[in-house]
Amino acid sequence: MKLFEYQAKDLFEESDIPVPRRSLISDASEIDGAVEEVGFPCVVKAQVLRGGRGKAGLIQFASTREEARTKAEQILGSPANVPSLLVEQALNIDKEIYLSITADPVSGSALIMASAEGGVEIEEVARTMPDRIIMERVKLSEGLLPFQARNVMFGLGLDADGVRTGSAMLLNLYDLFREYDAELVEINPLVVTGDGALVAADGKVTIDDSSLHRQGRFTLGREYFESDVEYEGAMEGIPCLKFDGKIGLMCAGAGLTNVIYDLVNYGGGSVASYIEFGGPNYRKAVKAMELMMRTEPKVVLVVTFGTIARADVIAEGLVDAIEQLKPEFPVVTAIRGTGEEKTQELLRGVGLEPLTDTEEAVERAIELTTEVRR
Amino acid sequence: MSVVLDSSTRVLVQGITGREGSFWTEHMVNYGTNVVAGATPGREGQEVHGVPVFHTVRRAAAEFPADASLLFVPPRFAKDAIYEALDAGIKTVVVLSEGIPLHDALQIRRAALSEGAMVIGGNTSGVISTGEAMMGFFPYWIERVYRPGRIGIMTRSGSLTNEVTAQIVKAGFGASTLVGVGGDSVPLTRFAEVLPMFEADPETDAVVIIGELGGTMEEEVAEAIEAGIFTKPLVASLGGRTAPKGTKMGHAGAIITAGKGTVEDKVAALTGAGALVADRPSSVGEMLQSVLEKVG
């Protein structure tokens, strides 16, 4: 679960990690109160989860009340569907640092990454100057030790004062990482201000989805999803991703779906949506089809190789869904595994052609999108 | 022969009295697996398909020493159950649960490394040595998927494994041992750690890995080949070449982060090391034919 910047900064503040003065608003009419609190110059930042906010014009500076209001209206009115704005004191920047804690699956430890080249994406630094990234691995059983924090801060080239405050801050950030079962905590940039203070100018916190049962503080709501259908799918326990293409994928299993996704793209087709139809969801065909219809595909492709999730049970569900919901798009199927003969009978019963070869099914779906276009 | 387990491996089942535990224990026993005991707190004295049940792993192992333990436990209890098995001196543990908390997984991984144990999973169907024994849930009765043979298989996915394995069988081959390392972001055992076992197994002629975007396990396989740790033919089937960046594609581990984990990188590393990379399941069979004919 990815948190919004304002939530990450609330957590930082509670953990004694310095953050800029700030105020959260959801309507442009609240801007006067916000700038009063924050002062000028200020930054108006869209609270959205996707990256690239700067490039998309979703972060804007303002030095007057009028300017702040215009920028706020502009961002809230943009087609990016922005639920709220963080209005923040603009910082006097001397240096920008990158700092994060994530999981290192190879060694089974937490991994601190830091770089004096802050403000740009770490991918960029990793590609162009990999030796400028400082890494420190932390055993969860021991926790972050002070010498490790010092290793990082001296590595960043901070002065003695900077190392002291930076180390204390990193220890706090590590505690936050542990306490919230984080997959990622990231400060980019961590700003060294003109008077030598360290301030988290941005913040990312992602809580591990498998730990949400013991992390009750944040609840998933509509604002965490790009579309209504993705939100509803998540609430039903049916993972759903929406794309811009034509073919809806209702496949069982993530691994298989990823391969089908590739095959569709190789063949010149495009994917409209990805609905997980495997695991425990193979009994939820009607709900899955309902969600599928709302992603407006031109063709739906059902590919499964169900052995424990029996093929005939999947087919029964699919037949129910088609009879109840009467989708207008064609449905192409390759449903294999346990109970295949009965599967074929069931599918023929509702006028579907039961294919058995994955690649043939993908080709058929692509052909159908081409015909529909004509 | 086979790797990880064979028909002589003494297997303990934790969570044996649950619905899934008991259902699959029956299949495992029928398949020829040497299931010696089970553990479920509070259920000592019961039997599940002829297998005696004990309160704790320690009590079970005292009477029926075990080489390996299979866990049917909810993900949030996985860490406790795995530590219990390691504490009893068991060196091979298979955990099937999907959704082990990330920080638990990191701790388990480190504990396994320091104990010199192999913990396989989570989010996997388990391990099957065809015709011999299995730990996990495999519908071994489906012959066009689970045919005995001389190809070692390692996989991050359940559903895709059926698809790829069916292609391997169609091309005239079968599996020696299939190891599901699982689809989580912290697989507790990594591809490259199983590879030396396949290298040492005289009844494995080649290895197929079924991988996907995310993480660096496929790159580590390439390194093992380059270092001469693995010298047999290797074919990789990789999903997610066209996946959008930053999107979690179903599996927790199937995501491109910090520029790492693209299939492009994996293909470059593997082909650079001399492995063959299939862009679709149907090519895997043909590729195996081409390399194994050459070998003779």
Side-chain angles (χ1 to χ4, degrees):
Chain A
M1 179 183 190
K2 219 184 253 182
L3 300 184
F4 290 97
E5 179 192 3
Y6 74 89
Q7 295 173 315
K9 285 184 167 163
D10 287 349
L11 293 181
F12 290 172
E13 190 165 49
E14 289 167 27
S15 299
D16 291 328
I17 296 164
V19 287
R21 277 198 308 277
R22 66 207 189 285
S23 175
L24 183 73
I25 64 172
S26 54
D27 193 287
S29 66
E30 301 164 77
I31 190 79
D32 288 353
V35 292
E36 196 93 349
E37 253 179 82
V38 165
F40 290 110
C42 70
V43 201
V44 181
K45 303 166 97 176
Q47 295 302 289
V48 292
L49 295 175
R50 58 190 170 280
R53 286 184 301 175
K55 277 184 204 145
L58 296 174
I59 296 180
Q60 304 267 356
F61 285 84
S63 38
T64 66
R65 193 172 285 252
E66 291 66 41
E67 206 183 348
R69 175 179 294 272
T70 313
K71 297 281 166 74
E73 282 169 352
Q74 192 190 325
I75 297 175
L76 283 169
S78 81
N81 191 18
V82 178
S84 58
L85 298 177
L86 193 63
V87 183
E88 218 174 55
Q89 154 204 23
L91 298 169
N92 165 15
I93 298 172
D94 180 25
K95 264 190 282 191
E96 292 185 306
I97 288 168
Y98 172 92
L99 185 62
S100 73
I101 309 178
T102 179
D104 175 26
V106 178
S107 65
S109 51
L111 175 64
I112 296 170
M113 286 200 278
S115 162
E117 318 294 327
V120 289
E121 288 191 12
I122 193 69
E123 286 90 334
E124 186 61 34
V125 183
R127 196 169 51 242
T128 54
M129 325 168 246
D131 54 328
R132 301 295 305 270
I133 299 178
I134 300 152
M135 295 200 198
E136 191 75 34
R137 289 181 173 76
V138 183
K139 291 177 192 156
L140 269 52
S141 54
E142 308 290 327
L144 175 62
L145 297 169
F147 85 88
Q148 296 182 294
R150 289 196 299 272
N151 281 348
V152 173
M153 294 300 150
F154 278 113
L156 288 169
L158 298 180
D159 60 21
D161 272 352
V163 168
R164 203 172 310 121
T165 49
S167 300
M169 197 205 66
L170 181 53
L171 287 159
N172 291 338
L173 189 67
Y174 177 79
D175 288 344
L176 192 156
F177 171 81
R178 289 288 287 134
E179 186 183 342
Y180 286 92
D181 276 301
E183 182 177 299
L184 170 75
V185 294
E186 183 184 274
I187 304 176
N188 188 26
L190 173 64
V191 164
V192 183
T193 63
D195 44 12
L198 289 168
V199 183
D202 197 0
K204 278 187 194 157
V205 173
T206 306
I207 298 174
D208 168 41
D209 287 330
S210 298
S211 302
L212 290 175
H213 63 88
R214 61 188 188 198
Q215 291 295 342
R217 174 158 171 177
F218 301 99
T219 316
L220 277 176
R222 169 63 184 88
E223 69 273 23
Y224 290 85
F225 295 85
E226 293 275 327
S227 65
D228 290 338
V229 63
E230 283 168 320
Y231 169 58
E232 279 169 42
M235 293 299 107
E236 294 284 343
I238 303 175
C240 171
L241 297 171
K242 195 172 179 300
F243 302 103
D244 298 328
K246 297 196 173 70
I247 301 178
L249 305 183
M250 226 165 108
C251 304
L256 182 58
T257 310
N258 288 338
V259 164
I260 308 283
Y261 189 101
D262 287 343
L263 291 173
V264 167
N265 282 314
Y266 293 160
S270 59
V271 174
S273 52
Y274 170 148
I275 286 182
E276 171 70 58
F277 196 34
N281 289 331
Y282 72 99
R283 292 178 188 279
K284 297 187 194 162
V286 176
K287 188 69 211 177
M289 183 60 86
E290 244 177 71
L291 292 168
M292 177 53 84
M293 288 166 78
R294 293 182 38 210
T295 70
E296 298 178 346
K298 301 287 179 281
V299 176
V300 162
L301 177 57
V302 183
V303 179
T304 72
F305 205 132
T307 45
I308 293 149
R310 295 176 60 97
D312 48 5
V313 177
I314 289 181
E316 265 170 29
L318 185 64
V319 165
D320 270 0
I322 289 175
E323 284 176 344
Q324 280 183 42
L325 302 169
K326 303 189 169 51
E328 282 175 8
F329 42 73
V331 177
V332 178
T333 65
I335 302 178
R336 286 82 32 88
T338 312
E340 227 171 83
E341 266 176 39
K342 189 175 163 207
T343 299
Q344 305 208 344
E345 242 170 68
L346 283 164
L347 295 175
R348 284 202 187 90
V350 286
L352 296 179
E353 181 192 356
L355 301 175
T356 53
D357 185 78
T358 300
E359 285 168 36
E360 188 187 352
V362 171
E363 275 163 33
R364 183 69 54 86
I366 295 171
E367 273 167 34
L368 283 167
T369 54
T370 326
E371 281 166 27
V372 170
R373 200 164 14 173
R374 281 180 208 138
Chain B
M1 231 181 91
S2 48
V3 309
V4 185
L5 91 156
D6 59 29
S7 55
S8 70
T9 307
R10 296 167 301 179
V11 174
L12 185 124
V13 178
Q14 291 173 253
I16 192 170
T17 56
R19 198 171 54 93
E20 289 212 336
S22 118
F23 178 80
W24 287 103
T25 294
E26 182 173 12
H27 280 304
M28 289 192 290
V29 170
N30 291 343
Y31 196 56
T33 314
N34 183 18
V35 183
V36 294
T40 302
R43 298 295 181 88
E44 188 159 303
Q46 292 188 5
E47 279 196 355
V48 173
H49 307 292
V51 176
V53 181
F54 296 82
H55 290 318
T56 65
V57 173
R58 188 176 295 175
R59 289 162 76 102
E63 230 170 294
F64 297 97
D67 308 300
S69 184
L70 172 66
L71 274 64
F72 289 95
V73 297
R76 67 186 75 176
F77 304 128
K79 179 176 143 187
D80 184 47
I82 292 167
Y83 277 47
E84 186 180 2
L86 296 179
D87 179 70
I90 296 173
K91 295 294 181 201
T92 303
V93 179
V94 177
V95 54
L96 309 173
S97 336
E98 174 174 5
I100 298 175
L102 177 68
H103 290 201
D104 289 7
L106 291 175
Q107 288 174 294
I108 297 164
R109 165 101 181 132
R110 174 157 293 267
L113 288 174
S114 64
E115 298 272 337
M118 183 173 258
V119 179
I120 296 171
N123 193 4
T124 172
S125 312
V127 180
I128 180 168
S129 291
T130 51
E132 294 225 21
M134 69 173 189
M135 290 173 74
F137 27 76
F138 293 96
Y140 52 84
W141 52 88
I142 300 183
E143 280 206 5
R144 75 170 198 276
V145 179
Y146 296 98
R147 195 164 83 188
R150 301 176 60 87
I151 309 295
I153 301 171
M154 294 191 286
T155 177
R156 292 170 64 183
S157 157
S159 55
L160 181 58
T161 302
N162 293 334
E163 186 81 38
V164 174
T165 310
Q167 296 292 342
I168 293 173
V169 171
K170 201 169 150 190
F173 305 100
S176 55
T177 299
L178 186 154
V179 180
V181 301
D184 279 347
S185 54
V186 181
L188 299 168
T189 291
R190 305 177 69 80
F191 280 160
E193 292 162 339
V194 184
L195 219 42
M197 302 170 99
F198 282 124
E199 175 75 10
D201 179 20
E203 294 184 4
T204 294
D205 294 336
V207 163
V208 170
I209 63 171
I210 303 169
E212 62 185 2
L213 71 156
T216 54
M217 280 205 294
E218 293 80 3
E219 287 85 339
E220 291 154 28
V221 166
E223 285 166 22
I225 297 172
E226 288 197 327
I229 294 166
F230 187 76
T231 60
K232 295 176 181 179
L234 187 135
V235 176
S237 170
L238 302 180
R241 279 179 206 238
T242 62
K245 287 197 170 118
T247 302
K248 201 168 272 189
M249 299 292 280
H251 286 141
I255 183 167
I256 298 162
T257 43
K260 276 191 175 173
T262 67
V263 175
E264 257 177 300
D265 288 349
K266 295 174 189 301
V267 173
L270 285 164
T271 50
L276 295 174
V277 182
D279 64 351
R280 59 193 72 214
S282 63
S283 316
V284 173
E286 295 157 24
M287 286 181 165
L288 278 177
Q289 282 168 342
S290 74
V291 287
L292 290 177
E293 269 160 27
K294 257 188 269 166
V295 171

